[in-house]
Amino acid sequence: MVTQVADRLVRRGITPTEITQDGPRNDQGVHIGTMYRFKGLGYRCLIIAGVAEGLVPRTSVDAWERSDPSRHRSELHRGRSLLFVAATRARDALAITWHGEPSRFLSPLLPGR
């Protein structure tokens, strides 16, 4: 997903900088990375893209609902916490996007849900 976003930004004339496990590669351009990569970093404005059902949480998490309910709860909590931590990296503005069905973690934030 990060590579796809980077390619789309480049095609539009925007310089992307991937956040690696060691942090941003440089200070130029728009920083992009997985939610895990944003831990410990802060930004004035932040977009969290792709927060769709099946991605956040991953579809595979629901397989544990019947076979391992404890792990299912734990993985849901982990995914919700990760989204929360990523969202707190924004100081002034936060936008969350999705395609298809929004993540169940967003339902309390969406009108009419």
Side-chain angles (χ1 to χ4, degrees):
M1 178 93 142
V2 173
T3 303
Q4 293 169 334
V5 171
D7 291 343
R8 289 179 183 157
L9 290 172
V10 168
R11 285 194 305 265
R12 287 165 179 80
I14 301 169
T15 303
T17 296
E18 185 178 347
I19 300 173
T20 67
Q21 64 187 24
D22 298 321
R25 288 190 176 157
N26 62 57
D27 291 333
Q28 304 300 312
V30 175
H31 291 185
I32 58 173
T34 65
M35 287 191 291
Y36 292 100
R37 300 287 192 218
F38 282 88
K39 290 165 75 173
L41 301 174
Y43 292 91
R44 191 175 65 76
C45 300
L46 182 71
I47 298 170
I48 304 176
V51 185
E53 191 62 27
L55 294 176
V56 181
R58 295 237 178 245
T59 303
S60 60
V61 169
D62 286 333
W64 294 311
E65 189 169 17
R66 288 193 177 129
S67 64
D68 191 344
S70 177
R71 183 169 185 190
H72 179 252
R73 284 189 302 277
S74 175
E75 292 296 326
L76 287 178
H77 178 74
R78 182 175 177 233
R80 188 179 292 110
S81 296
L82 177 62
L83 178 58
F84 174 80
V85 169
T88 63
R89 305 299 86 204
R91 186 185 75 213
D92 297 337
L94 171 66
I96 299 175
T97 68
W98 60 88
H99 57 279
E101 183 71 21
S103 168
R104 67 187 86 166
F105 298 155
L106 299 177
S107 62
L109 306 173
L110 299 173
R113 293 207 178 225

